[in-house]
Amino acid sequence: MKLDNPEDRSVAAGEYVLGTLGDAERSDFEAALAHDPASQAEVYAWQDRLLPLIDRIAPDVAPPAEWARIEVRLAPRGAANLPAAPDAPARAAANDSVWRLRRWQLTSALGIAAALVLATLLVVRGPAPAAERYLAVLQAPADNSTGWVVEVTAGQRVRLVPVADSAPVPPGRALQFWTKAEGAAGPTSLGLVAPGRVTELPASMLPALGVRQLFELTLEPEAGSPVGRPTGPILFVGRTVRL
């Protein structure tokens, strides 16, 4: 899969979010996604564009005939006349998972259609002003390995996403998230974050937002820094670029 130019990268990210990539293409894209901030930004952008469309589609219920076909396909051959096995609840859960997958594929197709309609309206009426977006790749000072990505949409949200397995936090310690605009007198705490988990915050928590804004994660006491500024070692740090 080629991700050499912005257009190819955007198309691949859109298909990844919609779930229309083949197994091999999906594996290739996920491998690139782990270390390519531009592809990560495209995925977030497509999620923002398409996922809200799901709320416009009324939920559907599988008809009884569809359930019967699913059960026949999942059941082993020759097992149709056997009594229910002890693992029947597990198979029911599997059936439910299959239907959720089918519903997601249907929803994705409808989402594409809705997106095309919205795109047509935008062409006719003109695009709305886009909110400024910024991206920061947080790296470990010791070896420059990438551990987290920060995506900020002005006036909306801050999204902190782990992109690599992180070392466990020692007992009695915690990860604290900080930001500092270029030229600011000192950093501002954005709170404690859970290791290895996505964290979302309102952008209103930021004292300012711009290019080369610093974001960092430090190791602090379990309740956070007691003095309003970092006291522990910097684990990951990076500065924003405008998308």
Side-chain angles (χ1 to χ4, degrees), residues 82-120:
L82 294 179
D87 62 348
R91 288 207 306 272
N95 291 345
D96 187 53
S97 298
V98 170
W99 173 244
R100 285 199 299 269
L101 175 60
R102 290 171 65 92
R103 180 181 169 190
W104 167 244
Q105 291 170 334
L106 174 61
T107 301
S108 296
L110 293 175
I112 294 173
L116 291 174
V117 173
L118 290 175
T120 302

Side-chain angles (χ1 to χ4, degrees), residues 63-79:
E66 185 66 23
W67 279 117
R69 282 193 291 269
I70 292 173
E71 290 174 351
V72 169
R73 294 182 63 181
L74 290 178
R77 290 185 179 180

Side-chain angles (χ1 to χ4, degrees), residues 135-150 160 163 175-180 187 212-219 230 232-241:
L135 187 76
V137 178
L138 307 191
Q139 297 178 306
D143 57 10
N144 290 328
S145 61
T146 300
W148 300 75
V149 171
V150 178
L160 175 66
V163 296
L175 294 180
Q176 192 158 356
F177 190 27
W178 305 85
T179 188
K180 179 179 178 295
R212 294 191 54 77
Q213 181 157 339
L214 183 144
F215 286 91
E216 67 182 21
L217 288 169
T218 63
L219 188 64
I234 297 174
L235 302 183
F236 295 96
V237 62
R239 292 186 180 273
T240 56
V241 296

Side-chain angles (χ1 to χ4, degrees), residues 6-237:
E7 183 176 351
D8 290 340
R9 192 160 45 240
S10 180
V11 170
E15 293 187 37
Y16 176 76
V17 171
L18 288 169
T20 58
L21 290 178
D23 291 341
E25 291 176 320
R26 183 180 181 86
S27 296
D28 291 345
F29 185 80
E30 287 179 338
L33 194 64
H35 55 77
D36 183 6
S39 295
Q40 295 161 8
E42 284 291 347
V43 167
Y44 299 148
W46 276 106
Q47 288 174 339
D48 290 343
R49 293 171 195 155
L50 297 179
L51 292 183
L53 296 175
I54 295 175
D55 294 334
R56 303 185 183 186
I57 301 173
D60 198 2
V61 177
E66 185 66 23
W67 279 117
R69 282 193 291 269
I70 292 173
E71 290 174 351
V72 169
R73 294 182 63 181
L74 290 178
R77 290 185 179 180
N81 298 321
L82 294 179
D87 62 348
R91 288 207 306 272
N95 291 345
D96 187 53
S97 298
V98 170
W99 173 244
R100 285 199 299 269
L101 175 60
R102 290 171 65 92
R103 180 181 169 190
W104 167 244
Q105 291 170 334
L106 174 61
T107 301
S108 296
L110 293 175
I112 294 173
L116 291 174
V117 173
L118 290 175
T120 302
L121 292 175
L122 288 175
V123 170
V124 174
R125 300 177 183 175
E132 293 182 345
R133 299 170 71 90
Y134 297 85
L135 187 76
V137 178
L138 307 191
Q139 297 178 306
D143 57 10
N144 290 328
S145 61
T146 300
W148 300 75
V149 171
V150 178
E151 183 196 30
V152 185
T153 304
Q156 297 182 30
R157 66 180 182 177
V158 181
R159 183 179 171 94
L160 175 66
V161 182
V163 296
D165 293 335
S166 58
V169 175
R173 307 299 295 276
L175 294 180
Q176 192 158 356
F177 190 27
W178 305 85
T179 188
K180 179 179 178 295
E182 191 170 30
T188 297
S189 173
L190 299 178
L192 304 180
V193 300
R197 295 181 60 182
V198 176
T199 299
E200 293 195 16
L201 307 167
S204 58
M205 291 185 64
L206 302 177
L209 178 60
V211 294
R212 294 191 54 77
Q213 181 157 339
L214 183 144
F215 286 91
E216 67 182 21
L217 288 169
T218 63
L219 188 64
E220 301 293 340
E222 191 171 16
S225 170
V227 294
R229 63 179 184 276
T231 61
I234 297 174
L235 302 183
F236 295 96
V237 62

